[in-house]
Amino acid sequence: MNSQLGRGVIPLLSYFLLPVYALLSLLRMIIAYLFSLIFSLSIGILAAKNEKAEHIIIPLLDVLQSVPILSFLPIAIIFFINLFGPYIGAEISSIFLIFTSQVWNMTFGVYEAVKLIPRDLEEMVRVYRIGKFLYLRKILLPATMTKLIYNSAMSWGGGWFFLYASEIISLGNAQIPLPGIGSLLALSLAESPPRIDIAILSVLITMFLVSFTYLFIWRPLMEWSENFKYEYSAGEIKRKRVFEIPRVRIPPFLYRSFFRSLRYILRLPIRNYVAGFVSFVERRAGIIKKGTFLLLILFIAYSAMKIAPHITLEMPSSEYMGEPDLILIASLNSIRRVLTVLLISLSWTIPVSLLVGRGRHWDEFMLLFEIAASFPIPVLWPFLVKYIVLPLGDEGFEIAAIMLALFGAQFYVLFNSLAGVKSISSDLEEMRKVFLIRGSLYLRKLVIPGMFPSIVTGLITAWGGAWNSLIVAEYIKVGNEVFPSKRAQYGLGTLLSIAAWDRGDISSVIFITAVLTLIVITVNRAFWRFLYDYSAKFRVE
């Protein structure tokens, strides 16, 4: 493949292309989110309702969300490009990378929500022998709405975070910059001299898109999701919340041409069409299941035929296998940094969730968090290197690595904690007012127990986000200087980056990934599994 594949895109650094590139990036985000939504609902519900599947799916998801994208992205790129060609394969690879940054958080949210369905509802299903499709529509899907919508907002921001890395596909010495706001930012910074004006405009357009989607999609959906909290009080009839687009001060012609059209579309009898489609699926469930299975088999067979000629069977041999001391030190350093990130995340997200979740300025803070979660940290990386790493040396490297990993993890804890605060039923709030429960007793007996399952979900997804960010942050190369300079400071990310980028040693990449996978499985079995089981005690009954 020609190493100059991507050079034709660089002269197109133009203000006129910014809207077009922004729309292309938005389209990739939407496609990736739709696949994430389908995956999270199907796999999350299956894991929560099928005990045998749960023992396989949850450990596998823990591994997949924690194993850094650097480990499997080259393999995925080769797979898709060999299967669909360079450009279509690069597009699918980009969407796949965004998908992996969105889906795990959403899936764990669905799993947690279904596990916390009150037992009396489950008993009602058994007593009245409610059918599977009715059970899915009336019990399972409504139960997931609050967690799914809040986690979707977080995943949407996380997708923008990874978009900047996903729109430039590297394969050997070749680069395929896909047209999009992320590749435009990367190429503008790579120019000599850098096109700072294009870079700043790219970031501003991203912030606009994030703000727009929050105000007109996620905020109304969050309000609407309040309908699905479990309430048991009959003394007060609560007004049903609707999906309502907020009014904003914009030019009248824009409002007439766009927002009124959108309101009209939302008022169409969509429920009738959805009900008809669901009825059709119920009647043809057997045929659809067999057809889907057949298509999957055909795709696997076609993929095997296309990929088989490119596979060579070799015994993986890594030089790291002969250095167990280095692997142990690197593993301990990475675990120490990840735990530091989780503790810092908890230290500020829980108090902020308590203040914002019960405060009056919920919408303003949520918009701020959504923008912060999607901010492209690669833009700040040169400044971290210049003002922290280079002046402070190895101590600066520690600070910069933890800061970058913190940006990749803390918002998972924050958004899940906020969802936990909002999911506390108003019945419990009424009881608190009647019995005058307040202060520390209110926090210990009501708020923290109500938030605990969501905090556990946030920590698990933050654990994976911290590993993904840390793997990149643990290796910094500036000219001839490399950080960390001492082997005692090496982490698994350092070893993985050296193997992947400096040496092109696939065997070492596989070996380090296997070590990381072993760490993830061990922590999952020893700690996260215990926390998940313990959090089930706090379900609403």
Side-chain angles (χ1 to χ4, degrees):
M1 188 178 294
N2 188 357
S3 62
Q4 300 298 318
L5 263 174
R7 298 300 298 175
V9 180
I10 293 180
L12 299 180
L13 296 177
S14 166
Y15 296 115
F16 299 105
L17 285 176
L18 283 169
V20 178
Y21 279 17
L23 288 176
L24 290 173
S25 294
L26 184 62
L27 181 60
R28 293 188 188 102
M29 287 284 295
I30 292 172
I31 294 173
Y33 175 76
L34 290 176
F35 280 110
S36 299
L37 183 63
I38 295 170
F39 182 95
S40 60
L41 284 172
S42 56
I43 300 300
I45 292 175
L46 176 64
K49 303 306 296 181
N50 189 312
E51 189 172 350
K52 292 182 179 178
E54 180 182 16
H55 292 312
I56 299 173
I57 291 173
I58 295 303
L60 184 60
L61 290 180
D62 278 329
V63 172
L64 289 175
Q65 70 143 353
S66 301
V67 171
I69 293 171
L70 178 62
S71 299
F72 61 81
L73 184 59
I75 300 172
I77 291 173
I78 293 171
F79 174 79
F80 288 123
I81 287 180
N82 284 329
L83 202 59
F84 300 105
Y87 293 103
I88 295 178
E91 282 286 357
I92 295 175
S93 299
S94 175
I95 292 171
F96 175 75
L97 177 58
I98 301 170
F99 166 83
T100 59
S101 69
Q102 294 177 338
V103 69
W104 316 128
N105 182 49
M106 295 168 60
T107 305
F108 277 110
V110 171
Y111 170 75
E112 175 208 336
V114 175
K115 292 289 283 187
L116 295 177
I117 292 176
R119 290 191 180 93
D120 52 358
L121 284 179
E122 299 287 359
E123 289 296 328
M124 181 193 71
V125 170
R126 283 191 287 270
V127 169
Y128 290 99
R129 297 181 180 178
I130 296 176
K132 292 182 179 179
F133 282 98
L134 187 61
Y135 176 52
L136 176 67
R137 288 161 47 196
K138 299 298 184 180
I139 303 294
L140 294 182
L141 290 181
T144 66
M145 282 299 106
T146 302
K147 301 289 185 185
L148 181 61
I149 289 171
Y150 278 82
N151 287 354
S152 292
M154 173 63 230
S155 294
W156 183 260
W160 283 108
F161 181 90
F162 280 96
L163 181 76
Y164 292 85
S166 71
E167 287 187 342
I168 294 188
I169 302 299
S170 298
L171 186 62
N173 294 323
Q175 281 192 342
I176 309 174
L178 301 172
I181 201 75
S183 61
L184 198 65
L185 172 64
L187 293 173
S188 63
L189 293 175
E191 285 280 85
S192 183
R195 291 291 304 273
I196 301 299
D197 55 338
I198 297 290
I200 293 174
L201 281 174
S202 299
V203 174
L204 291 177
I205 288 177
T206 303
M207 300 301 103
F208 168 77
L209 290 174
V210 171
S211 304
F212 183 88
T213 52
Y214 172 76
L215 287 173
F216 296 101
I217 297 178
W218 300 123
R219 174 181 165 183
L221 281 174
M222 287 174 183
E223 291 290 328
W224 175 71
S225 71
E226 295 291 312
N227 294 313
F228 300 99
K229 293 198 312 188
Y230 294 116
E231 308 285 3
Y232 294 92
S233 59
E236 177 185 1
I237 298 176
K238 295 180 174 58
R239 183 175 65 89
K240 183 176 176 63
R241 297 173 184 263
V242 296
F243 182 91
E244 183 177 357
I245 300 173
R247 291 182 178 271
V248 292
R249 293 181 180 178
I250 57 174
F253 74 94
L254 284 178
Y255 186 86
R256 286 194 297 269
S257 61
F258 181 78
F259 293 106
R260 284 183 180 173
S261 300
L262 190 56
R263 286 175 182 271
Y264 174 75
I265 292 172
L266 291 172
R267 291 191 185 120
L268 291 175
I270 298 175
R271 289 186 62 183
N272 297 336
Y273 299 126
V274 173
F277 175 74
V278 171
S279 177
F280 172 79
V281 171
E282 289 181 0
R283 294 195 307 269
R284 300 287 189 270
I287 297 174
I288 293 174
K289 186 185 296 185
K290 292 177 182 178
T292 304
F293 182 73
L294 179 61
L295 289 175
L296 181 62
I297 294 297
L298 290 175
F299 175 75
I300 293 173
Y302 173 74
S303 302
M305 291 172 59
K306 292 284 290 185
I307 300 299
H310 302 279
I311 296 176
T312 57
L313 297 177
E314 296 180 359
M315 182 65 68
S317 177
S318 169
E319 63 182 60
Y320 292 137
M321 292 181 180
E323 299 184 81
D325 295 342
L326 179 61
I327 297 297
L328 178 61
I329 291 172
S331 300
L332 292 176
N333 283 335
S334 292
I335 292 172
R336 170 177 55 82
R337 290 171 187 137
V338 169
L339 291 178
T340 302
V341 166
L342 294 183
L343 290 175
I344 295 174
S345 299
L346 276 175
S347 67
W348 77 268
T349 55
I350 303 302
V352 167
S353 299
L354 294 174
L355 291 173
V356 174
R358 296 295 176 182
R360 298 178 180 178
H361 302 286
W362 162 262
D363 292 322
E364 292 82 355
F365 279 106
M366 281 298 296
L367 177 58
L368 179 64
F369 296 149
E370 187 77 11
I371 292 174
S374 58
F375 188 83
I377 297 305
V379 175
L380 299 180
W381 190 240
F383 298 98
L384 290 177
V385 171
K386 182 176 180 180
Y387 295 109
I388 295 179
V389 178
L390 293 179
L392 300 178
D394 288 328
E395 291 76 13
F397 159 76
E398 287 284 347
I399 296 172
I402 290 174
M403 285 180 64
L404 184 62
L406 190 62
F407 269 95
Q410 60 189 347
F411 292 106
Y412 289 108
V413 184
L414 176 64
F415 276 76
N416 278 279
S417 300
L418 287 169
V421 173
K422 299 296 283 188
S423 66
I424 297 174
S425 69
S426 57
D427 302 332
L428 296 176
E429 288 293 332
E430 291 296 328
M431 181 189 70
R432 176 183 74 86
K433 294 175 183 177
V434 169
F435 291 101
L436 300 177
I437 300 174
R438 61 189 62 173
S440 62
L441 184 62
Y442 170 56
L443 292 177
R444 289 188 291 109
K445 298 299 183 181
L446 179 61
V447 177
I448 298 301
M451 293 174 61
F452 188 75
S454 297
I455 293 173
V456 172
T457 300
L459 284 173
I460 292 176
T461 50
W463 162 264
W467 276 110
N468 267 300
S469 302
L470 194 66
I471 290 301
V472 178
E474 284 186 326
Y475 183 70
I476 302 172
K477 192 172 184 179
V478 185
N480 295 324
E481 292 190 76
V482 176
F483 298 95
S485 59
K486 303 173 184 176
R487 287 168 66 92
Q489 282 188 298
Y490 278 15
L492 291 176
T494 313
L495 302 181
L496 188 59
S497 298
I498 291 173
W501 305 128
D502 288 359
R503 301 174 183 172
D505 186 355
I506 299 299
S507 297
S508 294
V509 171
I510 294 173
F511 177 70
I512 298 299
T513 302
V515 172
L516 178 54
T517 302
L518 180 62
I519 293 172
V520 170
I521 292 175
T522 303
V523 174
N524 170 63
R525 301 293 294 180
F527 187 65
W528 297 128
R529 183 74 266 162
F530 165 76
L531 275 185
Y532 247 132
D533 294 339
Y534 183 73
S535 68
K537 295 170 57 178
F538 299 100
R539 74 164 84 190
V540 178
E541 300 291 357

